[in-house]
Amino acid sequence: MHIKCLMAIVLFCANIIITRSKRYDNFILYKATPVEPDHLIFFQNLDRKKYIDVVFWKKPNKLFEDVHFIVNPSDKELLLERAQHFNLDLDVLSENIQRAFDSQIVKNYLRLRVESYSWTNYHNLVDIYQWLADLALKNPSVTGLMSIGKSAEDRDIFVIGINRSGAKSKVIVEGGMHGNEWISTEFLLYLAYNLIMSNRTANERLFELSKNYHWYLLPVCNPDGYEFSHNEDRLWMRNRRNVGHGYFGVDLNRNFDYKFGKHNIIPNSKDDSYGGPVPFSEPESRVIRDFVTKESEGLKYYFSFHAYGQKIVIPYSESKNNMEHDELDNLGKQAIIKMFRTSGVKYSISTGYGTRIAGNSAAWVKKNHKVKYVYTFFLRDNGTYGHALPPDQIQPTCEEALSGLVELMTAKPKRVRSNLFSPASRAAENLILLPCLAFIINCIIQFLAVF
Ligand SMILES: *[C@@H]1O[C@H](CO)[C@@H](O)[C@H](O)[C@H]1NC(C)=O
Ligand SMILES: *[C@@H]1O[C@H](CO)[C@@H](O)[C@H](O)[C@H]1NC(C)=O
Ligand SMILES: *[C@@H]1O[C@H](CO)[C@@H](O)[C@H](O)[C@H]1NC(C)=O
Ligand SMILES: [Zn+2]
C-alpha cells in the first residue's frame, strides 16, 4: 500500500516536471503569401478563431505580404486540406521548430569575468543581471546599474546608465519588451558593452556618441516574460500577470496610452496580443512610463528594439505617410545603407502603418514627450528562422545594428538613392580589393626582381 502511494506521488511529480515546459516537436514553420482576398480572410479568421492549432509569427496584414506561422503536427492534415481548398501555396521554412529552438544554445556566464560574456550564444536572466552588475562594478566612473521598479512577479527591471560626464542630452534604449525576442536583449547588452569600452582610436564615432549623451539602456523590460520564454514556453511574449479566468499576460507593447486598443485589436485576454483592460494596467509599462517621464527633459532619442523582420519603423501607426518625418525617414535610410554595407543584410523602413501596433511605447514617447527621434528596430531575420535565430547570427546581427544606430545618430540628411541596395551602395566594399591588388603587383615585381 505504502509503496503504491509513493509510486503514485513519484509519477505525479514526474508528470509535473514533464508537462512543465511546452514543446514544439515537429511543429512546422510555414510561409505563405495571400494573393487573393479569400486567402487573407482565411488567415485572419484562423488567427481569430484558432480552429487549427497554429501560432502566427508574422500575422496576416494585407494582400501580397508574407504570413509566417507554425502548426501543430496533429493539425497538419487539416491545414493542408484547407490550403488546397483555397488554392494557397505553403512554403515549409522549417520541418521541426523544436529542433531549431534546441540549437539556440544558452550558456552560463562565469561570475566576475566580464570579458568572457560572448555573443555566440544566448543567456538566461540571472546571468544577464549578474553580468550587468559586474560590468557596472568594473567601470564605476562611466556607468551605474539601477533598478527602476518591479515586474508583476517581483523581478527587478534594470537600467544601465552610461555617462562619461558633461553630457547634456539623453538617449533611452529599450529591449526585451517581448519575452521571446531574445536577440533584442542581446543587442542591448552588446550596445552597453561597446559604449563603455569604446575609445577614440578604435571607433571614434561611437566614442563621441558615448561622450555626448547620457545613455539609459533597459535591456529586459519584461523580465517575467523573458524568464518564462527560457523555462516554460519559448514563444511567450507577454508579461506574466494573472488577468483572470485562468489566463496570464498582457502584451506590454500594446499597453501604452496612445491609440490604446485601436486598429482592430482583439480585446480578448486569451489572445497573444491582448493589450490589457486599460492603458498602463501593467506594472512593467508603468515602470517604463515613470522612468521615461522622469528623464524626459533633454531626451533626444528613443529607440525600441524588437525581433524579427529586418525593418525600421517610425511612428505613427495611423498614417501611411511619414507626415513631418522626412528627416527621420532619410536618416533611417542612411542607417539601412550602412547596415547593408556592413553585412549585406537588407532592412526596410516604414511608418507603423504596416503593422498597426496600437498602444506601443515608441508612439507614446513621441507624442507624450515630444521626442523627435523615435525609432523601432526589428532585428534579424526576415523569416528564415524567425524566433529560432541561430546563435551564430547573434554577433553579426549586433554588429550591423550597432553600425546602423551609429550612422543614424551621426549622419546629416542627404539625398539617398531610391534603390537603397544598388551596387553603388556597396561600392565602398570594392576598396578592399585595392590593397589586395597592390599586394599582388608588389609580389610580381619582387618575383621579377629576383631574375
Ligand atoms: C552626466 O554626469 C555629470 C556628472 O558626472 C552630470 O553633471 C550630468 O548632468 C550628467 N548628465 C546627464 C544628462 O544626466
Ligand atoms: C581601444 O579599443 C581597442 C578595441 O577594443 C583596443 O584594442 C585598444 O587597446 C583600445 N585602446 C586604448 C587606448 O584603450
Ligand atoms: C523579406 O522577405 C520578403 C519575402 O519573403 C521580401 O518580399 C522582402 O523584400 C524582404 N525584405 C527585405 C528587406 O529584404
Ligand atoms: Zn516585439
Side-chain angles (χ1 to χ4, degrees), residues 15-24 98 101 124 153 155 179-180 182 223-237 240 248:
N15 198 31
I16 287 176
I17 290 163
I18 289 164
T19 54
R20 224 178 62 185
S21 122
K22 187 165 166 68
R23 293 187 59 85
Y24 292 93
Q98 183 62 46
F101 286 157
N124 62 36
E153 291 181 332
R155 291 190 176 86
N180 58 350
W182 298 357
D224 300 347
Y226 187 84
E227 191 69 353
F228 200 79
S229 169
H230 273 263
N231 300 333
E232 310 282 341
D233 179 351
R234 177 63 189 85
L235 289 175
W236 193 268
M237 64 187 289
R240 288 292 302 164
F248 287 83

Side-chain angles (χ1 to χ4, degrees), residues 32 34 39-47 56 60 67 69 88 90:
H39 296 162
L40 193 60
I41 292 166
F42 162 67
F43 279 128
Q44 286 175 335
N45 238 336
L46 184 56
D47 187 25
F56 281 96
V67 172
F69 59 95
L88 182 61
L90 301 179

Side-chain angles (χ1 to χ4, degrees), residues 31 66 346-348 382:
K31 177 177 100 169
D66 287 349
K346 295 176 177 175
Y347 278 63
S348 61
N382 191 16

Side-chain angles (χ1 to χ4, degrees), residues 197-199 201-202:
M197 297 300 171
S198 65
N199 62 50
T201 39

Side-chain angles (χ1 to χ4, degrees), residues 177-230:
M177 186 83 88
H178 290 136
N180 58 350
E181 296 167 2
W182 298 357
I183 185 66
S184 76
T185 290
E186 293 295 347
F187 172 69
L188 266 278
L189 304 176
Y190 182 85
L191 176 63
Y193 188 72
N194 282 277
L195 282 169
I196 292 167
M197 297 300 171
S198 65
N199 62 50
R200 203 180 294 282
T201 39
N203 187 342
E204 177 156 16
R205 285 203 299 166
L206 184 64
F207 179 69
E208 289 296 324
L209 286 176
S210 78
K211 238 178 48 172
N212 295 342
Y213 295 97
H214 190 149
W215 292 75
Y216 296 102
L217 274 48
L218 289 76
V220 195
C221 290
N222 175 12
D224 300 347
Y226 187 84
E227 191 69 353
F228 200 79
S229 169
H230 273 263

